[in-house]
Amino acid sequence: MVRAGLSAMVLLGLTASAQASTETGGPPAAPQHVSMSALDLWIVGGYLFGIVALGCLAGLRRRESKGSDYFLASKSLVWPMIGMALFATNISTIHLVSFAQNGYTSGLTYGNFEWMAAFTLVILSLFFAPFYLRANVATLPDFLERRFNRPCRDYLAILSIFSAVVVHIGFSLLTGAIVLEGTVLAAFVDSPEQYRFWTVVAMAAATAIYTIVGGLLAVVVTETIQTVVLLLGAACITWIGFRMIGGWGPLAESVHPVNLTILRSSADPTGITWYAVFLGYPVLGIWYWCTDQTIVQRVLGAKDENHARIGPLFAGFLKILPVFLFVLPGVICLGLVNTGKLPPLPELPDGSPNTEQTYTHMIKTMLNPGFRGIVIAALLAALMSTVSGALNSIATLFSYDIYKRWVPSVSERSLVWIGRCATFVAMCVAIAWTMALGQRDTTIYQAMVDVFPVVAPPTAATFVWGVFWRGTSAWAAFITLVGGSLLGLAVFLLTLSKVLTINSLFMAFILFAAESVAIVLLSLIFPHRHTAESESLVWKTPWEALRAEGAWRGLMDFRVFALVLVLVMAALYWAFSGSEPYFPVKAQLLLDGQPIVGCKVELQAENPRLDDTLYIGLDGRLTYGSVQRAGGAPAGTVLRLRLTPARDYIVEMQRRTGKDGRVETTEKIIAWVPHGEEITESVETIREDAAANNGLHGRVRVFRWRVGGTEKQVRTSADAEVEIRRATPIPDKLRAPEAVLIAQPNGELQVLELRSSGQVAKME
């Protein structure tokens, strides 16, 4: 009866939301601020209470304090639970929030991180899972000790804890905070971003409670429920958006063609090119899916080898869904905004859309009360499943690989309590890291990918060579782990400081190749002395992994299951691969030698699907096809330009003295104003308790203007140097689309100089 009621509510929400939205037409409406209803809040609150209670009860059901009960669920997990737990641990709020953002800005290309995972899950099933179970290990560092030596185990334990805190927990908590700030918290407080620290602490505490109490069994039981909630909530957004846009055909007509392709040419500005995907992702995938404790711990708790093999393959089929449930909604949102069926996204001070808010914008503007609560519960399910899985793996790693080494006589009961303490400490560190992540200038998902070269290439190289080549030596593995992670850290810092601009996905392949050469050479210099156990943990040939006497029969034979998965993924890649490259078009527009400021530029091509509208900032530059907005055109495409003054900017001049003693000036847009609107300025005294989001109080300068009858304002410090830059007036004779740009394969900057006399000059 409860299930029927829930189904009825879901169907009612789908129908009502879709009907109400498809009747909306005309120009884009003003941004809507839809508050959470009481029903939404009850659903979210009830879900949180229920999942925490369920996790605690599941863990307390087994009162034994044995380590295998707490850390490995007594090795009782069957393949459906393993598959759903793998999926739920992997999928976090970063997928829902950042993939929607990536879908809005770059189309389907970030879906490669999901579909390529299926191939590495096949590798886990065929080649790694059997060894892990046969070695009867509790952690992957334990496996490395049996294959190599103790130093490898110690270092991998530290590296694994680092990745769990930095990658799995930190980014998940950040995106969870963004979602709650845009939905639930906005119903109670103004400017919820001011309370982000307490939001993060509350989310961490709710997840840590049942993880600390119940161990892996609590984690897996809750992840199974959360997978269902997650898929249901995400499917709602996709289905409603798809009905609003009118189907695949209207969607394709409303967005740039490149948005609906998953494999891109070398010209793509995201750097997620076809060769980066096929060369770089396997490195990240083998590390993440085959050697990362947070993920593989579910396989280590398998009932037997067949369950350990089929579970990852089942997860591989589930990984087909995120492209349609998490990435595609961002593309749909772009199409709905382009056609005026959704209001524009909230804007940043320079007028560009705040794409971080893509998913929460869809929740606010597309869903009815009650139904909105279900989707937010799904977001929280994604967050809690990832964080709880990472916390449990940290507890296992610290207890078995670090503490037990120094205190080998520790009892099983004490080991469980040590694991719980490690969970608490790790969560505190993760909260601090989450707060530091707020300062970045790239998408959340790309920021996470930039961290991968620190851990992925050396770990993947060590495991791959260790499992497939018996000559791989212990000291070669240890040197590769340490040296590779330090090299990856240097690459990360250089990428962060913009010294290196190579996409992190392709950089992972370069590092893996270099470290593979190193591990082979070092193994020849320092030969390995095998024990009987280490000898048994190397495949004599890759085909040996396909021989299994006790394998299930029929479709449940892991070999048949794996073949079907590979064929399905190959068909999907073929269906979503575009054959025509789209090259970014970069230009600088000048009027009488001065950069054009604040103009709307309408690009018109022979193919109307390539038409677009861009806005020029302070330097006269525009880019058609960028990381922030997919676009571009085939080589030789002629793009005609229509210019209209559109935006005036309030600009703050920021000066600093460089190392050479010279004063450097940067210009920061702090607000944009519709062209021609009156802007008033005053100096006021603001009390601290009335400070705005930027925290300014005391004597401040306040700039005010009106938009559609609503007063807007922006504040700066009283001594700030501020200028008002009006949009460049464009003579009527230049407003017709006479100026042209031509798409070029090299993507070089094209300079167009317009003259008040009506002439257009092109300077290369």
Side-chain angles (χ1 to χ4, degrees):
M1 185 174 179
V2 173
R3 186 181 302 171
L6 178 60
S7 300
M9 184 170 67
V10 169
L11 291 174
L12 180 62
L14 284 169
T15 305
S17 297
Q19 288 177 347
S21 301
T22 51
E23 291 170 1
T24 303
Q32 301 175 16
H33 301 283
V34 183
S35 61
M36 296 287 290
S37 69
L39 179 58
D40 293 321
L41 297 175
W42 274 105
I43 290 173
V44 174
Y47 171 78
L48 286 173
F49 176 81
I51 205 70
V52 171
L54 176 64
C56 292
L57 289 173
L60 292 174
R61 190 178 64 183
R62 296 177 184 265
R63 294 186 176 275
E64 299 89 351
S65 295
K66 292 172 59 179
S68 61
D69 291 333
Y70 184 80
F71 297 113
L72 296 178
S74 303
K75 289 188 174 289
S76 61
L77 304 182
V78 294
W79 68 265
M81 294 182 72
I82 294 171
M84 286 193 284
L86 284 170
F87 180 80
T89 299
N90 166 243
I91 298 298
S92 69
T93 43
I94 192 172
H95 288 75
L96 281 80
V97 174
S98 197
F99 271 174
Q101 177 187 15
N102 293 135
Y104 190 96
T105 60
S106 307
L108 297 181
T109 187
Y110 276 83
N112 281 295
F113 288 93
E114 298 304 300
W115 282 1
M116 285 296 293
F119 297 106
T120 48
L121 282 163
V122 170
I123 295 174
L124 170 62
S125 171
L126 298 184
F127 301 109
F128 287 97
F131 278 162
Y132 294 156
L133 260 69
R134 293 172 194 175
N136 194 30
V137 295
T139 67
L140 297 186
D142 186 7
F143 175 81
L144 273 198
E145 180 182 17
R146 299 177 188 222
R147 173 59 181 89
F148 295 121
N149 58 15
R150 183 74 207 203
C152 287
R153 176 177 184 170
D154 294 340
Y155 193 78
L156 183 63
I158 296 171
L159 205 59
S160 298
I161 292 174
F162 167 83
S163 67
V165 171
V166 171
V167 176
H168 294 288
I169 303 178
F171 286 98
S172 296
L173 289 176
L174 174 63
T175 49
I178 291 172
V179 169
L180 291 179
E181 288 164 1
T183 53
V184 177
L185 297 181
F188 297 97
V189 295
D190 295 328
S191 304
E193 299 84 2
Q194 299 181 69
Y195 309 102
R196 176 166 293 182
F197 173 77
W198 296 111
T199 303
V200 170
V201 169
M203 291 188 299
T207 309
I209 288 172
Y210 69 81
T211 307
I212 291 174
V213 171
L216 182 61
L217 183 61
V219 170
V220 173
V221 168
T222 54
E223 284 176 342
T224 304
I225 302 298
Q226 287 165 334
T227 300
V228 177
V229 175
L230 171 61
L231 294 177
L232 175 64
C236 293
I237 285 281
T238 303
W239 176 254
I240 293 173
F242 210 62
R243 290 196 61 183
M244 288 176 63
I245 200 73
W248 190 264
L251 173 62
E253 293 296 324
S254 64
V255 298
H256 190 283
V258 77
N259 281 290
L260 297 178
T261 61
I262 197 164
L263 288 179
R264 305 284 177 83
S265 72
S266 59
D268 194 75
T270 63
I272 312 296
T273 59
W274 65 268
Y275 57 84
V277 169
F278 290 130
L279 295 177
Y281 183 84
V283 177
L284 302 186
I286 289 173
W287 160 69
Y288 187 88
W289 291 105
C290 303
T291 71
D292 184 57
Q293 179 71 26
T294 299
I295 297 297
V296 180
Q297 188 157 341
R298 284 109 196 88
V299 177
L300 300 181
K303 190 175 182 179
D304 58 40
E305 192 170 304
N306 279 314
H307 287 283
R309 285 181 181 270
I310 296 294
L313 297 176
F314 177 50
F317 278 101
L318 292 178
K319 292 297 285 181
I320 295 173
L321 301 176
V323 171
F324 302 107
L325 299 183
F326 307 147
V327 186
L328 185 61
V331 183
I332 293 173
C333 182
L334 175 63
L336 291 171
V337 170
N338 288 345
T339 56
K341 295 180 179 179
L342 273 190
L345 265 62
E347 293 176 339
L348 297 172
D350 64 357
S352 60
N354 183 2
T355 55
E356 254 185 23
Q357 295 292 333
T358 300
Y359 207 80
T360 52
H361 183 70
M362 296 175 76
I363 293 173
K364 288 180 177 181
T365 56
M366 290 168 52
L367 302 182
N368 288 336
F371 198 56
R372 201 175 298 130
I374 295 175
V375 176
I376 293 173
L379 287 163
L380 293 176
L383 162 72
M384 297 174 76
S385 61
T386 298
V387 173
S388 64
L391 288 175
N392 186 252
S393 73
I394 291 170
T396 309
L397 288 164
F398 185 83
S399 300
Y400 277 102
D401 295 307
I402 297 177
Y403 188 83
K404 195 172 183 179
R405 177 184 181 183
W406 301 107
V407 189
S409 61
V410 63
S411 67
E412 291 287 312
R413 181 181 294 273
S414 297
L415 202 62
V416 169
W417 279 104
I418 291 298
R420 288 170 172 162
C421 293
T423 301
F424 176 78
V425 173
M427 183 55 82
C428 293
V429 175
I431 290 171
W433 166 245
T434 301
M435 299 308 298
L437 281 174
Q439 307 299 320
R440 67 188 190 287
D441 58 357
T442 185
T443 67
I444 301 172
Y445 197 84
Q446 186 59 51
M448 183 179 72
V449 172
D450 289 340
V451 179
F452 287 168
V454 179
V455 290
T459 309
T462 301
F463 273 82
V464 168
W465 285 98
V467 166
F468 288 103
W469 183 41
R470 70 178 305 277
T472 308
S473 71
W475 286 110
F478 178 70
I479 294 171
T480 300
L481 279 173
V482 176
S485 59
L486 293 177
L487 178 61
L489 179 61
V491 167
F492 169 71
L493 295 175
L494 291 173
T495 302
L496 196 64
S497 59
K498 309 298 183 185
V499 175
L500 272 181
T501 57
I502 300 176
N503 179 267
S504 297
L505 195 60
F506 190 61
M507 178 56 73
F509 169 74
I510 295 174
L511 293 175
F512 176 82
E515 288 156 15
S516 293
V517 172
I519 202 170
V520 170
L521 294 177
L522 289 168
S523 295
L524 296 176
I525 297 172
F526 306 106
H528 187 66
R529 293 184 179 180
H530 275 286
T531 63
E533 183 178 40
S534 67
E535 189 80 51
S536 67
L537 298 179
V538 183
W539 294 112
K540 294 181 176 62
T541 67
W543 304 112
E544 184 185 0
L546 300 180
R547 293 194 292 268
E549 296 180 359
W552 294 336
R553 295 184 178 181
L555 183 60
M556 296 305 293
D557 185 322
F558 70 88
R559 292 159 291 198
V560 177
F561 213 108
L563 178 62
V564 172
L565 177 58
V566 170
L567 292 177
V568 169
M569 297 312 304
L572 285 170
Y573 264 105
W574 178 82
F576 284 89
S577 296
S579 58
E580 189 167 32
Y582 294 89
F583 299 98
V585 179
K586 303 175 183 178
Q588 183 176 33
L589 306 184
L590 309 175
L591 179 62
D592 297 330
Q594 297 299 315
I596 292 176
V597 175
C599 282
K600 178 174 73 173
V601 181
E602 298 174 69
L603 301 177
Q604 301 174 1
E606 184 177 348
N607 179 358
R609 292 186 64 191
L610 300 180
D611 292 352
D612 206 346
T613 300
L614 305 174
Y615 291 88
I616 298 178
L618 301 174
D619 57 2
R621 293 176 182 257
L622 64 86
T623 301
Y624 175 44
S626 67
V627 174
Q628 295 302 322
R629 186 176 178 88
T637 300
V638 176
L639 300 169
R640 297 188 176 277
L641 281 60
R642 181 187 296 274
L643 281 73
T644 309
R647 294 176 174 176
D648 300 332
Y649 295 116
I650 302 175
V651 183
E652 182 176 348
M653 316 298 291
Q654 299 177 339
R655 307 184 191 278
R656 69 181 186 88
T657 303
K659 294 181 179 179
D660 57 359
R662 296 182 180 180
V663 177
E664 300 175 355
T665 302
T666 57
E667 300 177 336
K668 177 183 178 182
I669 298 174
I670 59 175
W672 74 274
V673 180
H675 177 57
E677 289 291 332
E678 180 183 2
I679 303 173
T680 62
E681 177 186 353
S682 61
V683 178
E684 302 176 7
T685 301
I686 306 296
R687 300 193 317 272
E688 185 173 357
D689 59 354
N693 291 351
N694 56 15
L696 287 174
H697 57 276
R699 287 181 57 79
V700 299
R701 296 172 70 182
V702 182
F703 296 86
R704 292 185 174 88
W705 65 96
R706 302 190 72 83
V707 178
T710 302
E711 183 180 272
K712 305 286 186 179
Q713 65 172 256
V714 65
R715 301 172 183 175
T716 66
S717 60
D719 57 352
E721 184 180 348
V722 180
E723 295 181 1
I724 297 175
R725 302 277 181 86
R726 296 290 182 178
T728 302
I730 304 296
D732 291 340
K733 63 183 70 176
L734 290 175
R735 295 195 180 192
E738 297 296 334
V740 298
L741 296 172
I742 300 177
Q744 300 176 357
N746 55 22
E748 291 183 356
L749 181 70
Q750 303 177 53
V751 180
L752 287 181
E753 182 170 359
L754 285 65
R755 298 190 176 94
S756 298
S757 61
Q759 295 178 324
V760 178
K762 184 173 182 179
M763 302 182 296
E764 299 296 341

